Amino acid sequence: MKELSEVISPGEISAAVRRLGAEINRDYAGRGILAVCVLNGSFIFFSDLIRELTTPVEADFLKVRSYASTKSSGDVEVDCWLKTDIKGKDVLIVEDIVDTGLTLSVIIQRLKADNPKTLKVCALLDKRAGRKAEINPDYTGFLVDDHFLVGYGLDLDGHYRNLRGVCKVRPPGLKFP
Ligand code: 5GP
């Protein structure tokens, strides 16, 4: 049995999503956005965030795999790519968490090759200590410590995505620091 300890409450998440939405609405005023959901982990954050947006939003989805259980493999496999032609569009990538940044750097490289007008990143969580690639989200919800996190879309082997808050998880026998 794993133990969970909440590090970001549902109320804190809602406030951050509203703040991020307001920042994006201000920056993109009068322009449309193609919002790109990075599946699977971002699906809850994405659906909350785009409902804060007052500018016209087109939504599309891509799915990549970069993690086996709790360890970053460093390898990024694309399972499913966008259906939309992004050429000349203002594209906003919506990501649940940036750790090494390797996943996003692959996604950004591939999206840039299709000539969007602009390309920005909105990440709910930023685990800066783990960074291996030069990735700095344009919009960040929370800076988080280097713990494995679950909840609000983030999973551990498919579980815990439905938790309303973000929690750190520890295996049996280990103490939370
Ligand atoms: P990166 O390529 O930046 O190391 O990792 C990005 C992806 O790894 C995220 O989209 C997420 O799927 C997964 N990831 C990174 N840190 C965590 C974490 O603490 N918890 C969970 N559940 N997934 C994580």
Side-chain angles (χ1 to χ4, degrees), residues 2 67-70 148 150 154-161:
K2 307 257 188 324
Y67 257 61
S69 194
T70 59
F148 192 78
V150 296
L154 293 164
D155 76 316
L156 174 58
D157 295 334
H159 294 272
Y160 306 121
R161 292 194 197 276

Side-chain angles (χ1 to χ4, degrees), residues 38-42 64-76 95-105 107 125 127 130-133 135 144-151 153-157 159 161 166-167 169:
V38 182
L39 295 169
N40 291 330
S42 306
V64 294
R65 264 177 300 148
S66 59
Y67 257 61
S69 194
T70 59
K71 294 261 188 302
S72 173
S73 63
D75 296 324
V76 178
E95 176 67 299
D96 51 357
I97 183 164
V98 187
D99 182 8
T100 63
L102 295 170
T103 307
L104 265 181
S105 53
I107 292 170
L125 306 170
K127 239 192 227 180
R131 205 68 102 249
K132 292 184 180 155
I135 296 290
V144 290
D145 292 336
D146 194 14
H147 295 290
F148 192 78
L149 300 173
V150 296
L154 293 164
D155 76 316
L156 174 58
D157 295 334
H159 294 272
R161 292 194 197 276
V166 171
C167 300
V169 61

Side-chain angles (χ1 to χ4, degrees), residues 19-95:
R19 169 181 55 84
L20 292 169
E23 288 174 20
I24 293 166
N25 286 331
R26 184 197 59 211
D27 292 353
Y28 289 84
R31 287 148 66 194
I33 296 177
L34 171 62
V36 173
C37 176
V38 182
L39 295 169
N40 291 330
S42 306
F43 75 112
I44 294 179
F45 175 45
F46 183 82
S47 57
D48 284 346
L49 182 71
I50 63 171
R51 283 177 292 170
E52 293 295 327
L53 301 182
T54 50
T55 186
V57 176
E58 201 180 348
D60 205 347
F61 303 84
L62 59 81
K63 185 170 177 184
V64 294
R65 264 177 300 148
S66 59
Y67 257 61
S69 194
T70 59
K71 294 261 188 302
S72 173
S73 63
D75 296 324
V76 178
E77 276 184 55
V78 176
D79 279 348
C80 159
W81 200 247
L82 300 180
K83 302 287 178 277
T84 315
D85 180 5
I86 67 167
K87 190 169 178 206
K89 292 194 173 164
D90 289 307
V91 176
L92 179 67
I93 303 171
V94 180
E95 176 67 299

Side-chain angles (χ1 to χ4, degrees), residues 98-117:
V98 187
D99 182 8
T100 63
L102 295 170
T103 307
L104 265 181
S105 53
V106 171
I107 292 170
I108 287 171
Q109 208 179 0
R110 287 190 57 154
L111 289 176
K112 274 192 177 159
D114 291 332
N115 298 313
K117 184 172 164 207

Side-chain angles (χ1 to χ4, degrees), residues 112-127:
K112 274 192 177 159
D114 291 332
N115 298 313
K117 184 172 164 207
T118 61
L119 185 58
K120 287 192 178 186
V121 174
C122 177
L124 179 68
L125 306 170
D126 186 346
K127 239 192 227 180

